[in-house]
Amino acid sequence: MADLVAYPMNGGDGLYSYSKNSNFQRKAIDAGKELIKEAVSEKLDIKSFSSSNTFRVTDLGCSVGPNTFHAVQNIVDAVEQKYQSQGHNSQLPEFQVFFSDHISNDFNALFQSLPPDRRYYATGVPGSFYSRLFPKAFLHFAYSSYALQCLSKVPEEVVDMNSPAWNKGRIHYSKSADQVVKAYTTQYAKDMECFLNARAQEIVCGGLMAFVVPGRPNGISHTEVFVNTAKELFGSCLMDMAKKGIISEEKVDCFNIPQYIASLEEVEAIVKANGYFSVEIMENLTQEKPPPKVFAIGVRSGMEGMIRKHFGDEIMDELFDSFGKKLEESSSVLESKKSVSLFVLLKRRATE
Amino acid sequence: MADLVAYPMNGGDGLYSYSKNSNFQRKAIDAGKELIKEAVSEKLDIKSFSSSNTFRVTDLGCSVGPNTFHAVQNIVDAVEQKYQSQGHNSQLPEFQVFFSDHISNDFNALFQSLPPDRRYYATGVPGSFYSRLFPKAFLHFAYSSYALQCLSKVPEEVVDMNSPAWNKGRIHYSKSADQVVKAYTTQYAKDMECFLNARAQEIVCGGLMAFVVPGRPNGISHTEVFVNTAKELFGSCLMDMAKKGIISEEKVDCFNIPQYIASLEEVEAIVKANGYFSVEIMENLTQEKPPPKVFAIGVRSGMEGMIRKHFGDEIMDELFDSFGKKLEESSSVLESKKSVSLFVLLKRRATE
């Protein structure tokens, strides 16, 4: 559960800050690290970029670090290695890295923690990755980690009490009626289409795009996914508070988490229908399940802004305490759930 | 008196914020506006950029807006007009604007106030413009307004009590001994050399660079310059407080303002010695003198961070009150002083 629609990760470096609580994501980055090296080594055709002596990388949904710094350094290292292995030692490119996230991201914190010994020119790009962020044919490598599960918005039907897709008493879709699931699936497909269309314009032909997201193994139902079960538990904590009269039930009814956990099959179908990219690598990475307390703090660091905005400051501590307890009580159930990350590597097709 | 070494303008939009107190600079931007239009129309050779269909602009020392937004919009408009006037209507370039300032600049405030109807891709670039910020041959137009008077650091000798250039009892050079003036002049020349060398790498051949700075008319002494006189008065307020025992005299002795007010003659000599750029336009723009109170608030919005860091929070209100009063008392003296801005337009020479 990383970045959410227009609600930034917690900035700074306090107890609940994203920078102190993003180890969970860090492990997926490490798992993807080798795949990216492999991809650059085998799939990147540096000859086709030779006209430009700058190699441009973006991290979309970069948040505040340090994960983004490790990730982009890994890409820079891999590209340098590729140039060297092909005897282009004397003409190593200059690197320019574009750290991108919502306009509400803490770019000040990001810039202030930039690695002093970086070998790239660093820039920040504010905006949603569901629309254009860069000029045409500008990027050589686009990367995104734990961000593309976030939808551009909550599907409208699920918070509309007059819709058959109204998701009453729940904040997510995994245990909901088919109409709710369909509303989420449709929103995800629409958003991915926007994402791919925007990137297709921005990435040079032959350029690569890698993304890592929490995922669902093919053929496994939504209810069997660890992060979905955790969200159901989180929703039940909110409903408990509503039953105690601490918050109103209506407030819960009109709150839904705009995240969708897709499978590789779904991603592949969307990419193929879009047509601008070829699928080069697709893998399920086994995702370690963090201990309940660590997970609760991790969720807090990612979702605090959004929850606070909707429900107010007062409930935060009680809510996350009860969530932590519920995670512990349900640990054997959670243990049986699937926790994978999807790693997807795409290449921008040459335009006919 | 704009941006200072690693001390950002006051962020946000409070009483002393830079965004609320930068009208003084705004007027110079307006005066430069027509010159930039003229420069783009007459000096920009768009044919030489035709291989790239993106036009890249940077504002170096952009602070937090809104001045930077007006300035870059003016450049974008002028370039579009040039394309249109040459019949390139169908192939207008995409624009990418790089807002750059010290790493401590409030980029969050900058990004959050970006004009929603902008016709360019916006990015932020943290770092000092005295070193490289961009890859080679990347920029088409570099702009800087009220920033290049800021030195990269206080010349060391002027705060060294063992140096003949020790600037005891003063915070600026205009009424000081020749050695002090020389230390400032030397630092300015060194910094400008670094600035020009960095930009020479980053700007494409034929690309333009325009900058506006508070200046000194040729042949006029440092003491006859309005902003220098104002700085002397500001220094005397600090000395008054030292005499009253509110701050220590040593604290004042080791505080100097790292700004230099150059003349067009000096700028021209440095640009020619550097060799990478041709001088296309050089003009003194008459700079309106703001009323004392407005000026005092303007200085506060620009220098508060630096003063606070050196002298502590407590003295701020008293210091700026007494500065405001002193400006009013000295209004007839100030009235007689010269207030100009230098407008300089350079073109990156083709490399032999």
Side-chain angles (χ1 to χ4, degrees):
Chain A
M1 299 196 194
D3 199 10
L4 288 156
V5 188
Y7 291 91
M9 308 288 89
N10 280 346
D13 57 3
L15 178 60
Y16 301 121
S17 67
Y18 178 76
S19 62
K20 285 257 169 78
N21 292 291
S22 40
N23 272 334
F24 179 47
Q25 281 93 331
R26 178 72 202 279
K27 280 170 187 155
I29 291 177
D30 288 343
K33 219 169 162 170
E34 286 306 310
L35 285 169
I36 284 182
K37 277 192 187 157
E38 185 188 315
V40 168
S41 155
E42 289 170 21
K43 313 280 184 181
L44 187 71
D45 179 15
I46 57 178
K47 268 179 228 139
S48 66
F49 310 146
S50 59
S51 71
S52 155
N53 206 31
T54 304
F55 193 93
R56 300 196 187 101
V57 178
T58 186
D59 183 1
L60 301 164
C62 63
S63 186
V64 293
N67 287 349
T68 186
F69 304 131
H70 298 298
V72 302
Q73 192 55 55
N74 182 49
I75 295 167
V76 168
D77 289 345
V79 175
E80 279 192 344
Q81 222 167 344
K82 170 96 179 191
Y83 270 77
Q84 280 158 347
S85 74
Q86 302 208 341
H88 296 290
N89 236 329
S90 60
Q91 39 168 316
L92 279 184
E94 294 188 297
F95 289 89
Q96 197 175 19
V97 174
F98 294 82
F99 296 97
S100 182
D101 209 322
H102 287 301
I103 213 157
S104 53
N105 186 51
D106 190 350
F107 283 95
N108 290 346
L110 176 75
F111 288 165
Q112 279 153 26
S113 57
L114 277 167
D117 59 345
R118 65 190 180 276
R119 297 192 307 280
Y120 51 81
Y121 298 105
T123 53
V125 180
S128 162
F129 53 48
Y130 291 121
S131 57
R132 287 283 301 279
L133 295 165
F134 302 96
K136 280 179 195 145
F138 184 72
L139 297 169
H140 301 96
F141 200 117
Y143 172 81
S144 179
S145 175
Y146 280 77
L148 264 170
Q149 76 277 19
C150 299
L151 303 174
S152 70
K153 60 174 187 180
V154 174
E156 281 157 26
E157 314 89 288
V158 306
V159 289
D160 174 2
M161 60 181 295
N162 297 314
S163 165
W166 188 31
N167 198 17
K168 183 169 172 47
R170 301 197 174 279
I171 63 164
H172 203 230
Y173 58 86
S174 62
K175 281 183 160 180
S176 303
D178 287 353
Q179 292 98 323
V180 176
V181 179
K182 182 142 187 286
Y184 268 92
T185 315
T186 306
Q187 186 66 49
Y188 177 70
K190 263 190 215 165
D191 284 341
M192 280 297 284
E193 178 77 10
C194 289
F195 179 80
L196 293 170
N197 285 340
R199 299 299 86 72
Q201 298 291 311
E202 296 165 357
I203 298 175
V204 299
C205 291
L208 300 179
M209 173 152 72
F211 57 86
V212 185
V213 281
R216 182 163 61 89
N218 288 340
I220 293 293
S221 83
H222 293 295
T223 53
E224 292 307 303
V225 174
F226 175 82
V227 287
N228 287 347
T229 306
K231 278 178 205 131
E232 294 298 337
L233 291 174
F234 191 70
S236 73
C237 295
L238 283 166
M239 281 305 283
D240 290 349
M241 292 178 88
K243 276 167 205 151
K244 286 191 207 157
I246 300 168
I247 50 176
S248 79
E249 207 165 315
E250 290 73 34
K251 269 257 180 230
V252 182
D253 289 343
C254 65
F255 179 77
N256 263 243
I257 298 180
Q259 291 187 351
Y260 184 75
I261 307 301
S263 66
L264 286 178
E265 270 175 5
E266 285 174 281
V267 171
E268 191 174 20
I270 292 169
V271 172
K272 286 196 170 160
N274 174 267
Y276 284 116
F277 294 89
S278 59
V279 176
E280 301 288 329
I281 304 178
M282 284 196 132
E283 284 200 22
N284 286 311
L285 309 175
T286 305
Q287 170 81 56
E288 198 184 307
K289 289 168 203 156
K293 276 210 179 121
V294 174
F295 186 72
I297 292 178
V299 170
R300 179 163 188 168
S301 84
M303 304 212 345
E304 185 158 356
M306 184 192 214
I307 308 279
R308 202 183 277 281
K309 176 94 188 271
H310 191 86
F311 293 103
D313 282 341
E314 316 74 36
I315 71 159
M316 299 306 293
D317 287 337
E318 183 175 343
L319 175 62
F320 281 98
D321 278 357
S322 97
F323 182 45
K325 277 182 202 136
K326 216 164 253 210
L327 285 168
E328 282 195 61
E329 288 160 19
S330 316
S331 59
S332 66
V333 176
L334 285 163
E335 202 44 57
S336 71
K337 301 293 175 179
K338 305 290 177 197
S339 180
V340 301
S341 289
L342 313 184
F343 178 91
V344 178
L345 185 97
L346 307 178
K347 184 186 265 194
R348 177 69 171 91
R349 286 181 200 278
T351 15
E352 289 86 54
Chain B
M1 297 195 194
D3 200 13
L4 288 156
V5 187
Y7 292 91
M9 308 289 89
N10 280 346
D13 56 3
L15 179 61
Y16 301 120
S17 67
Y18 178 76
S19 62
K20 285 258 170 78
N21 292 291
S22 39
N23 272 332
F24 179 46
Q25 281 92 330
R26 177 74 201 279
K27 280 170 188 155
I29 291 176
D30 288 343
K33 219 168 161 170
E34 286 306 309
L35 285 169
I36 283 182
K37 277 192 186 157
E38 184 189 317
V40 168
S41 154
E42 289 170 21
K43 312 281 184 181
L44 187 70
D45 180 14
I46 56 177
K47 269 180 229 139
S48 66
F49 311 147
S50 59
S51 71
S52 156
N53 205 31
T54 304
F55 193 93
R56 299 194 189 103
V57 178
T58 186
D59 183 1
L60 301 163
C62 62
S63 186
V64 292
N67 287 348
T68 185
F69 304 131
H70 298 298
V72 302
Q73 192 56 54
N74 182 48
I75 295 167
V76 168
D77 289 345
V79 174
E80 279 192 344
Q81 222 167 346
K82 170 97 179 191
Y83 270 77
Q84 281 158 345
S85 74
Q86 301 208 341
H88 296 291
N89 237 329
S90 60
Q91 38 167 317
L92 280 184
E94 293 188 296
F95 289 89
Q96 198 175 17
V97 174
F98 295 81
F99 296 97
S100 182
D101 209 321
H102 288 300
I103 213 157
S104 52
N105 186 50
D106 190 349
F107 282 95
N108 290 347
L110 176 75
F111 288 165
Q112 279 153 26
S113 58
L114 278 166
D117 59 345
R118 65 191 181 275
R119 297 191 308 279
Y120 51 80
Y121 298 104
T123 54
V125 180
S128 162
F129 53 49
Y130 291 121
S131 58
R132 288 283 301 279
L133 295 166
F134 301 97
K136 280 179 194 144
F138 184 72
L139 298 168
H140 301 96
F141 200 117
Y143 172 80
S144 180
S145 176
Y146 280 76
L148 264 171
Q149 76 277 18
C150 299
L151 303 173
S152 69
K153 59 175 187 179
V154 174
E156 282 157 25
E157 315 90 289
V158 306
V159 288
D160 173 3
M161 62 180 295
N162 297 316
S163 163
W166 188 33
N167 198 17
K168 184 169 171 45
R170 298 197 176 279
I171 62 163
H172 204 231
Y173 59 85
S174 61
K175 281 184 161 179
S176 303
D178 287 352
Q179 292 97 326
V180 176
V181 179
K182 182 143 187 288
Y184 268 92
T185 315
T186 306
Q187 186 66 48
Y188 176 71
K190 263 190 214 164
D191 285 340
M192 280 297 284
E193 178 76 10
C194 289
F195 178 80
L196 293 170
N197 285 341
R199 298 301 86 73
Q201 299 292 310
E202 296 164 358
I203 298 174
V204 299
C205 291
L208 299 179
M209 173 153 71
F211 58 87
V212 184
V213 282
R216 183 163 58 90
N218 289 340
I220 294 294
S221 82
H222 293 294
T223 53
E224 292 307 304
V225 174
F226 175 82
V227 288
N228 288 347
T229 306
K231 278 178 204 129
E232 294 299 337
L233 290 175
F234 191 71
S236 73
C237 295
L238 284 165
M239 282 304 282
D240 290 348
M241 292 178 88
K243 275 168 205 151
K244 287 191 205 157
I246 300 168
I247 50 176
S248 79
E249 208 165 314
E250 291 73 32
K251 270 257 178 230
V252 183
D253 289 344
C254 64
F255 179 78
N256 264 242
I257 298 181
Q259 291 186 351
Y260 184 75
I261 307 300
S263 66
L264 286 177
E265 269 176 7
E266 286 174 281
V267 171
E268 190 174 20
I270 292 169
V271 171
K272 286 196 169 158
N274 173 267
Y276 284 116
F277 294 89
S278 59
V279 177
E280 302 288 329
I281 303 178
M282 285 195 133
E283 284 200 21
N284 287 312
L285 309 176
T286 305
Q287 171 80 55
E288 198 184 307
K289 289 168 203 155
K293 277 208 177 125
V294 174
F295 186 72
I297 292 179
V299 170
R300 180 163 188 170
S301 84
M303 303 209 350
E304 183 157 357
M306 183 190 214
I307 308 280
R308 202 181 278 281
K309 176 95 190 268
H310 191 85
F311 293 103
D313 282 340
E314 316 74 38
I315 71 159
M316 298 306 294
D317 287 336
E318 183 174 342
L319 175 61
F320 282 97
D321 277 356
S322 96
F323 182 46
K325 277 182 203 137
K326 217 164 253 209
L327 286 169
E328 283 195 62
E329 287 160 20
S330 315
S331 60
S332 66
V333 176
L334 285 163
E335 204 41 57
S336 71
K337 303 292 176 179
K338 304 290 178 197
S339 180
V340 300
S341 289
L342 314 184
F343 178 91
V344 178
L345 185 97
L346 308 179
K347 184 186 265 194
R348 176 69 171 90
R349 284 182 201 280
T351 15
E352 289 84 57

